Amino acid sequence: MIRTAREHLRIALYPIIRPRGGDFLYSDEEFMVMLRDIQYCKQLGCNGVVIGMLMADGTVDKARCARLVETAYPLGVTFHRAFDWVCNPFEALEAIIGIGCERILTSGQKPTAEEGADLIDQLVREADDRIVIMPGSGVRAVNIVALAEKTGASEFHTSARLQQASAMQYVNPGMKEDQAVVMAGEEEIRKIRDQLTALTVE
């Protein structure tokens, strides 16, 4: 019998609901796009969604985020790295818990989770199992164990990004662009998994 990918893969699918790049202060029109995108994710059978909206003063947009969570129900909801742009991370933590999110993705308000490890550690302690704090940004096999030990986090986000030289023989010099292939590195993912597994077994 041939098994489909869906039958033997157990990967939860959480699309990011983000109508554009840039800041996290969204217009009413952009908010309506987010609502529709969440409804579409539900129709597709996704496991959850990833959201994040802020007010101009750097606080969480509680009213509209709460509506996104309500629209997503019963899907799980993760609050993304908009969290790293809030003015008070501990007030934001309580707001996000109150909204009903199950997880916060954060680099500890620094460019990488390694740099923000001190704040992530404080957030994990303050969360006290009320919400998952997931370190992300720059998480690799070389630092995953140290991050886990430093922060007490149990879930991590990584792109496991690998760059591979392009096999193209002709590259248009006028484009002035590196065409290196960017992908998730299978070996990097395996190392991260194995190191975390060894850490939990010890």
Side-chain angles (χ1 to χ4, degrees):
M1 182 177 75
I2 298 175
R3 289 182 175 272
T4 65
R6 184 168 183 161
E7 287 176 317
H8 66 264
L9 283 179
R10 293 182 176 85
I11 301 173
L13 179 61
Y14 277 59
I16 187 167
I17 306 300
R18 184 142 156 74
R20 58 163 172 78
D23 65 32
F24 305 99
L25 181 65
Y26 296 111
S27 68
D28 290 340
E29 182 179 5
E30 289 168 331
F31 177 60
M32 295 308 295
V33 170
M34 296 169 85
L35 288 171
R36 287 196 297 270
D37 285 349
I38 289 174
Q39 290 165 348
Y40 187 55
C41 287
K42 291 175 73 172
Q43 293 172 16
L44 291 175
C46 297
N47 303 96
V49 293
V50 184
I51 68 161
M53 297 182 70
L54 303 182
M55 304 293 286
D57 63 358
T59 58
V60 173
D61 186 340
K62 292 188 287 187
R64 294 199 292 180
C65 282
R67 189 169 169 198
L68 294 178
V69 172
E70 289 167 7
T71 301
Y73 183 83
L75 305 188
V77 179
T78 294
F79 196 96
H80 59 51
R81 288 186 61 208
F83 181 86
D84 290 323
W85 296 86
V86 300
C87 58
N88 186 316
F90 297 101
E91 286 182 4
L93 171 67
E94 298 302 327
I96 295 167
I97 290 172
I99 289 164
C101 293
E102 62 181 2
R103 182 181 296 103
I104 296 173
L105 172 61
T106 178
S107 58
Q109 299 203 319
K110 298 289 185 181
T112 68
E114 195 167 23
E115 294 171 276
D118 287 338
L119 177 57
I120 295 171
D121 173 50
Q122 294 175 55
L123 290 166
V124 169
R125 294 173 188 274
E126 192 68 27
D128 194 26
D129 293 327
R130 293 176 296 158
I131 192 169
V132 173
I133 304 298
M134 175 188 274
S137 183
V139 176
R140 306 288 292 192
V142 295
N143 61 17
I144 188 78
V145 171
L147 271 172
E149 292 176 340
K150 170 68 176 176
T151 65
S154 58
E155 296 183 12
F156 298 85
H157 176 277
T158 180
S159 65
R161 188 179 293 114
L162 175 71
Q163 280 202 335
Q164 182 176 307
S166 171
M168 286 292 297
Q169 294 177 349
Y170 171 77
V171 177
N172 182 355
M175 289 302 293
K176 299 179 181 179
E177 181 179 325
D178 181 8
Q179 286 195 310
V181 178
V182 180
M183 64 182 76
E186 181 180 346
E187 185 59 29
E188 178 71 9
I189 293 170
R190 185 177 290 109
K191 287 179 182 177
I192 290 171
R193 181 200 62 192
D194 291 347
Q195 290 198 44
L196 283 178
T197 300
L199 189 63
T200 55
V201 168
E202 289 177 359

